[in-house]
Each structure stands twice: as structure tokens, then as C-alpha cells.
Amino acid sequence: MTAKRGKDEGDPYLELRLSMVERQLEARGIKDRRVLEAMRDVPRHLFVLPAYRERAYEDCPLPIDERQTISQPYMVAWMTELLCLKGDETVLEIGTGSGYQAAVLSKLARFVYTVERIPALAESARERLRDVGITNVEVVVSDGTEGLPEHAPYEGIIVTAGSPSVPPLLVEQLGDRGRLVIPVGSSGVQMLTVIEKRGDRTITSEEGSCVFVPLVGKYGWER
Ligand code: SAH
């Protein structure tokens, strides 16, 4: 028996998680095998508040501390798939929240920097990531609308909060052929937008509407 199977057998949420991947992700068109595998692997129930553990695999976002949310599983999978990761990338996430999205990314890229503006959320995300044994994620407290220039360029940047416009420094910190996935629009509804860098040009595509908590900062919302 493999160590992996041994671990899974002790996980009372495994069945719920596999069913979430099948019914919410595969059934709705998520195709990237590696994304599906990562979402089968990461124990989402350990990233929600204890009071919501039984609901961790439901088809919806859930509240976390500081009036923020952990995104719906489908949204995590969709945004991750849009990054087109192969495994050797350095990825930047803006909006750590619970740390769940970062945990999924950690299975798909070489290293993940994730930036959170609220120190208490950053600290509890760090603890969760440590508890589940993830070592290729660094949680940084700062205003992510300015990116994280010290580790740029990034092959992928994912913003998990809604922005009124595309923060220019994020585009600047993308490597050539890098992709930025970001919800852009009003505080009520946003367009999930992908910006790919090609030399000194960018190619923008709009993928569909979504709803996120606001990205608050210098190049985001004021408050
Ligand atoms: N990716 C998270 C969910 C994100 S909720 C998860 O998997 O659980 C959005 C998060 O973005 C919140 O935690 C919020 O505090 C954070 N945020 C908002 N504006 C930010 C900014 N300018 N820089 C960094 N984080 C920000």
C-alpha cells in the first residue's frame, strides 16, 4: 500500500472531495488533468472555519475571518486552469485569504508567493499550509495591488479579489508569455479577465462574470 493511499483512507472527507471534483468541476468543463488532481488532493475542509467543516465541499464560497471568503471550488479550479501551469513556474497570488487557492497552486507550480493585506489572515493561512505539509508557499503581508517586485518576474499571477481596473505593476511583473488572471469590474460583479504578456504587447481575453470581495489598496478600491 502506498503512503498516499494510507493517508487518504484516514480522511473522512475523501469521498465528498472526489464527488466535488466530479460533479462541480469535471461536469462543468474543467479539463486540465493536473488541476483536477490537485483539487482531489488538497483537504479543503482544513481551510474553512471549524464551524463550516461539514460544508467545505459544497458548491459555494464560505465565510472566513475578517469578513472575507474562501472561493467556491469551481471558481478556484477555473482560475487555476486559466493560468495554464506546467509545473516549473513561480506564481504570485494576491489575496491569500484561507490559503486554499495557494495550496492548490502549490501542487501545480514550483513556488508560490501569496500576498495578504490582513495580517491575522496571513498568519492563520501560514499555519494551515504548515499543518498540511506544504513547503513551497510563502505568505507575505503587504498591499498586493503593487505586486511583489522582489521576486518578479512571475510566469503566472492570480488575483482572488475584485479590482476596479488592472493594477499596472502586476502586468509589469509578468514574465514573457506569463498570464495574469484577475476579476475586473464594479464592486458587485466582475469580468474574469486574462492578460497574457507577449514581449512588449499584451493579449486580453474576457472569460465570464464572477463575484469577489473587493481588492483594497493603492491600485484597487479605497476601502
Ligand atoms: N484566495 C483566497 C480567497 C480570497 S478572499 C482563498 O483561497 O481562501 C480575498 C482576499 O484578498 C481577502 O483575504 C482580502 O483580505 C485580500 N485582499 C484584498 N485586497 C488585498 C490587497 N490589496 N493585497 C492583498 N490581499 C488583499
Side-chain angles (χ1 to χ4, degrees):
M1 191 194 299
T2 65
K4 171 110 185 299
R5 197 175 286 148
K7 183 186 80 185
D8 288 349
E9 273 169 11
D11 181 353
Y13 291 88
L14 178 62
E15 229 169 279
L16 278 177
R17 188 159 64 250
L18 298 183
S19 149
M20 175 271 277
V21 170
E22 192 182 321
R23 295 182 195 186
Q24 299 174 34
L25 310 186
E26 291 185 283
R28 289 195 196 128
I30 301 298
K31 291 203 165 55
D32 187 323
R33 309 305 317 167
R34 298 177 68 246
V35 172
L36 295 167
E37 197 49 41
M39 304 253 331
R40 283 188 201 103
D41 201 19
V42 177
R44 180 171 166 95
H45 59 280
L46 298 181
F47 289 84
V48 303
L49 294 174
Y52 287 92
R53 200 149 284 168
E54 299 302 321
R55 299 187 52 195
Y57 296 97
E58 287 183 12
D59 191 12
C60 55
L62 290 171
I64 58 173
D65 287 331
E66 308 284 340
R67 303 201 334 273
Q68 306 300 319
T69 56
I70 175 172
S71 305
Q72 176 196 24
Y74 177 74
M75 189 57 61
V76 173
W78 184 24
M79 294 179 83
T80 306
E81 188 171 64
L82 287 169
L83 283 173
C84 304
L85 299 173
K86 298 283 178 265
D88 56 352
E89 297 87 353
T90 303
V91 174
L92 174 65
E93 178 194 24
I94 310 302
T96 312
S98 67
Y100 176 70
Q101 171 76 70
V104 170
L105 292 168
S106 79
K107 310 285 178 187
L108 298 166
R110 188 184 58 78
F111 200 87
V112 180
Y113 293 97
T114 179
V115 178
E116 172 56 55
R117 63 181 280 272
I118 302 175
L121 289 178
E123 189 45 43
S124 50
R126 258 182 220 121
E127 278 170 25
R128 289 187 193 102
L129 291 161
R130 193 192 312 127
D131 289 349
V132 301
I134 290 172
T135 55
N136 61 335
V137 175
E138 184 177 328
V139 182
V140 178
V141 177
S142 70
D143 175 5
T145 67
E146 301 190 66
L148 191 63
E150 51 269 46
H151 299 291
Y154 305 97
E155 283 85 30
I157 301 180
I158 177 172
V159 182
T160 58
S163 186
S165 59
V166 179
L169 293 174
L170 295 185
V171 179
E172 207 168 279
Q173 290 169 30
L174 271 184
D176 192 30
R177 305 232 159 207
R179 292 162 75 86
L180 166 63
V181 177
I182 178 170
V184 183
S186 70
S187 56
V189 63
Q190 303 91 37
M191 177 56 67
L192 188 58
T193 305
V194 179
I195 296 166
E196 190 179 328
K197 201 162 179 176
R198 295 272 179 93
D200 44 19
R201 296 172 51 226
T202 56
I203 301 169
T204 300
S205 63
E206 296 187 335
E207 302 292 334
S209 55
C210 54
V211 179
F212 278 85
V213 296
L215 181 74
V216 177
K218 186 169 174 196
Y219 298 97
W221 295 99
E222 267 181 31
R223 265 249 104 234

